């Protein structure tokens, strides 16, 4: 159908099918490239609650379905937790952590950063569109430089994640960006009297909000404006 790249995602127990499928496609003699398609093999996921492994599926019996996880913790947490680990590594999916509204929960931590920025911009009450032309020269603190450097790395990170079939890179990046922002937020005032400094900080905050929303969108996770 014209696709240049196809990726099969399967469990690690299907490793032996890779060579058979590729050899079969080559045997067709219809110009399929060597080494096609790509494969991502996933390790098993263990679901925990209260420190113990759980079997919560009523429909499937002895294993937990994706629908069960979504019913338990919601789509956002399910998508993030499953994306935030290398496919070839084991994952312990902690239901208690995924449901917690604390900074220990990376989904909450990232979404809270987005909501915080929305709150600051709402308090400001100006037109966010004008912030794109603001002079960022007044931004000189260690926390501000950390946020700027993290934002600068976003395009290259996304390109590498796509090339390497590594969505966990996006999840890790968003957690680090949220940490940079929360540290900056806790150390600084945004709505200061100095107009140049205020606008520069708001511009950086707005850019951070945009990148968080974009990154969460890549993972299929929502970016709430209030929490």
């Amino acid at each position: 159908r014209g696709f240049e790249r196809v990726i099969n995602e399967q469990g690690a127990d299907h490793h032996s099918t890779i060579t058979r499928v590729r050899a079969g496609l080559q045997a067709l003699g219809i110009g399929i490239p060597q080494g096609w398609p790509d494969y991502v093999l996933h390790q098993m996921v263990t679901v925990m609650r209260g420190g113990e492994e759980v079997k919560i599926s009523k429909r499937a019996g002895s294993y937990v379905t994706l629908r069960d996880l979504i019913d338990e913790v919601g789509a956002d947490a399910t998508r993030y937790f499953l994306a935030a680990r290398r496919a070839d590594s084991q994952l312990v999916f902690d239901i208690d952590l995924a449901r917690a509204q604390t900074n220990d929960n990376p989904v909450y931590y990232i979404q809270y950063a987005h909501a915080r920025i929305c709150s600051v911009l709402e308090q400001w009450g100006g037109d966010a569109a004008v912030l794109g032309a603001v002079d960022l020269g007044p931004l000189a603190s260690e926390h501000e430089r950390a946020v700027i450097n993290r934002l600068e790395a976003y395009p290259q990170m996304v390109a590498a994640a796509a090339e390497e079939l590594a969505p966990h890179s996006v999840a890790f990046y968003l957690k680090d960006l949220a940490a940079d922002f929360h540290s900056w937020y806790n150390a600084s005032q945004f709505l200061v009297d100095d107009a140049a400094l205020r606008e520069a900080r708001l511009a950086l905050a707005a850019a951070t909000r945009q990148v968080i929303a974009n990154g969460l969108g890549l993972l299929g996770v929502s970016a709430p404006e209030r929490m």
Side-chain angles (χ1 to χ4, degrees):
R1 289 183 290 163
F3 293 105
E4 295 183 0
R5 192 177 194 186
V6 170
I7 304 159
N8 282 350
E9 298 201 56
Q10 296 180 317
D13 54 330
H14 289 275
H15 188 276
S16 63
T17 68
I18 298 177
T19 54
R20 295 202 301 271
V21 170
R22 287 175 174 170
L25 292 173
Q26 292 304 307
L28 294 175
I30 57 175
I32 294 175
Q34 290 282 346
W36 192 95
D38 290 324
Y39 276 83
V40 176
L41 300 181
H42 292 267
Q43 295 295 324
M44 298 296 290
V45 176
T46 301
V47 180
M48 306 289 289
R49 183 197 286 122
E52 297 182 356
E53 185 176 354
V54 293
K55 311 288 188 181
I56 57 178
S57 175
K58 296 181 174 63
R59 295 175 295 279
S62 62
Y63 60 88
V64 179
T65 68
L66 190 59
R67 171 54 57 188
D68 291 323
L69 284 179
I70 293 173
D71 290 344
E72 282 278 326
V73 304
D76 283 351
T78 300
R79 285 173 172 153
Y80 184 91
F81 273 71
L82 291 178
R85 67 95 162 88
R86 294 176 58 91
D88 59 0
S89 65
Q90 296 284 345
L91 171 65
V92 176
F93 194 111
D94 189 332
I95 288 178
D96 297 325
L97 177 60
R99 297 178 67 177
Q101 294 188 357
T102 69
N103 290 342
D104 292 330
N105 179 351
V107 187
Y108 177 87
Y109 190 62
I110 296 165
Q111 290 178 325
Y112 186 41
H114 184 271
R116 264 184 160 177
I117 299 171
C118 291
S119 177
V120 169
L121 293 175
E122 184 177 5
Q123 291 176 46
W124 170 55
D127 181 4
V130 305
L131 297 175
V134 167
D135 177 17
L136 301 181
L139 301 177
S141 75
E142 177 183 351
H143 294 296
E144 289 159 350
R145 288 196 300 270
V147 173
I148 291 171
N149 289 337
R150 190 77 64 185
L151 294 180
E152 185 181 18
Y154 179 74
Q156 183 177 356
M157 180 280 300
V158 171
E163 177 64 27
E164 299 166 8
L165 308 182
H168 64 275
S169 297
V170 179
F172 292 165
Y173 172 89
L174 290 173
K175 185 178 179 182
D176 290 339
L177 176 57
D180 290 336
F181 173 77
H182 286 305
S183 295
W184 177 37
Y185 181 91
N186 292 331
S188 306
Q189 294 291 326
F190 287 74
L191 303 179
V192 295
D193 294 333
D194 184 329
L197 180 58
R198 178 177 67 247
E199 291 181 357
R201 286 179 173 171
L202 289 172
L204 182 56
T208 304
R209 178 181 68 168
Q210 185 64 63
V211 170
I212 291 175
N214 290 352
L216 289 175
L218 290 176
L219 300 178
V221 178
S222 68
E225 296 184 1
R226 290 179 175 82
M227 293 180 67

